[in-house]
Amino acid sequence: MSIQTFTRCYGPTEGENARSIDLYFPAQANKSSPLIVFIHGGAWRTEDKADYKQLCTGFSELGYSCASVNYRLSLKENGEQPTIQHPDHIIDVGKAVEHLYNHPTEQYDPKQIYLVGHSAGAHIAMMLLLDTKLPYHQYVQGVIGVSGIYDIPLLVKTFPSYLDFIEQAFGSDQSTFYEASPISKTSGALGKKPIIIAHSPEDTLIDNDQAHVMDQHLKKLHHQYTVLDMALTGDHYDIMKTEKLHRLVKSLFK
């Protein structure tokens, strides 16, 4: 199948990889096609949109329009704490989604943008949907969070060694960790937007509790369009394959 691929920058600097989007369009894509936006993980400090090339190509071969987003990472320089920290990652991806909404191509409908985030990317996706203090929720029509981080204080309690990368991305003031977590947000703007919290019980890097606390939080918000899906198999990165996520993506459009 013929797939059209190209890259766009959404940041202020032309050609900047840190704020850019890779787009994958199948030949049959049109103005009515939904757009799946993948947000990579990597603890807010590693990975790149190119890591999702095979995944996005696989979905495009199945007929889906896809985008894979980069955002600036929390990188230490000379041992110093990063200058890029929360909420920069969220705002970057939000601006990418806003760009996709305001500058659509002929291959997707900007009113049908769905986010699929993995790990730290699921944290970003859920914050974009739930944090109504930011403007980006209006562009998002649904979210799949895969092996996501939704309760940062709980994550640190369960995995104390993770405090290193959490502080790198969020700073050393632990009193801010809860407010930076999706479970702290009480959005009234969810409407009928579908949310799928997907997790593999075989994941050794993120435990089941993260999925359960996010599901419980959404139920407290009386959001009737949430699905907790624990049927994925494989470890943290093994699950990010087209054949494993296709079932979840299809269910967004029911």
Side-chain angles (χ1 to χ4, degrees):
M1 178 183 292
S2 175
I3 299 174
Q4 182 183 7
T5 64
F6 58 95
T7 298
R8 277 188 184 179
C9 289
Y10 65 86
T13 306
E14 186 66 28
E16 179 189 7
N17 184 58
R19 285 180 281 194
S20 63
I21 311 163
D22 289 343
L23 293 154
Y24 302 78
F25 297 136
Q28 68 268 39
N30 56 55
K31 288 183 176 181
S32 298
S33 300
L35 180 67
I36 303 166
V37 178
F38 287 96
I39 308 168
H40 71 76
W44 302 275
R45 65 181 181 181
T46 64
E47 296 191 31
D48 186 274
K49 59 183 169 51
D51 299 333
Y52 285 81
K53 181 177 181 179
Q54 185 174 0
L55 180 68
C56 291
T57 299
F59 273 103
S60 289
E61 288 173 347
L62 292 170
Y64 295 94
S65 294
C66 298
S68 186
V69 178
N70 261 3
Y71 50 93
R72 291 172 298 166
L73 302 174
S74 294
L75 303 175
K76 289 184 178 181
E77 295 183 11
N78 301 318
E80 298 294 327
Q81 281 287 68
T83 56
I84 302 300
Q85 289 187 322
H86 173 81
D88 293 333
H89 325 97
I90 296 165
I91 292 172
D92 279 1
V93 178
K95 288 182 177 179
V97 172
E98 185 176 56
H99 176 88
L100 290 166
Y101 182 88
N102 289 327
H103 303 281
T105 70
E106 300 289 318
Q107 290 87 3
Y108 68 89
D109 178 1
K111 294 182 179 179
Q112 293 191 72
I113 295 177
Y114 296 86
L115 308 183
V116 178
H118 175 232
S119 195
H123 168 272
I124 294 170
M126 207 63 67
M127 290 288 279
L128 287 172
L129 183 62
L130 295 180
D131 190 350
T132 52
K133 291 181 180 178
L134 297 174
Y136 309 114
H137 60 92
Q138 63 186 306
Y139 310 121
V140 178
Q141 297 308 311
V143 169
I144 300 176
V146 184
S147 288
I149 297 170
Y150 310 113
D151 184 334
I152 296 172
L154 177 61
L155 184 76
V156 172
K157 181 179 179 181
T158 307
F159 301 97
S161 64
Y162 287 6
L163 183 60
D164 174 63
F165 72 74
I166 293 295
E167 289 188 339
Q168 190 166 327
F170 293 87
S172 58
D173 184 357
Q174 296 191 28
S175 68
T176 66
F177 292 174
Y178 175 75
E179 183 64 24
S181 302
I183 62 154
S184 74
K185 306 307 172 189
T186 55
S187 170
L190 287 173
K192 296 183 178 180
K193 296 178 180 180
I195 301 174
I196 300 173
I197 307 300
H199 193 82
S200 167
E202 299 171 11
D203 192 323
T204 60
L205 298 184
I206 303 292
D207 66 323
N208 296 350
D209 286 349
Q210 289 292 318
H212 287 302
V213 295
M214 191 69 242
D215 177 59
Q216 290 164 12
H217 179 66
L218 290 165
K219 283 184 170 62
K220 289 178 183 177
L221 299 181
H222 304 290
H223 186 61
Q224 301 174 21
Y225 302 91
T226 301
V227 174
L228 175 63
D229 190 305
M230 304 292 288
L232 287 173
T233 58
D235 209 342
H236 194 65
Y237 290 100
D238 297 332
I239 55 183
M240 295 304 291
K241 295 180 172 60
T242 304
E243 61 271 19
K244 293 196 174 186
L245 299 186
H246 187 205
R247 171 182 57 83
L248 299 173
V249 169
K250 280 176 64 177
S251 67
L252 278 179
F253 310 129
K254 288 182 178 179

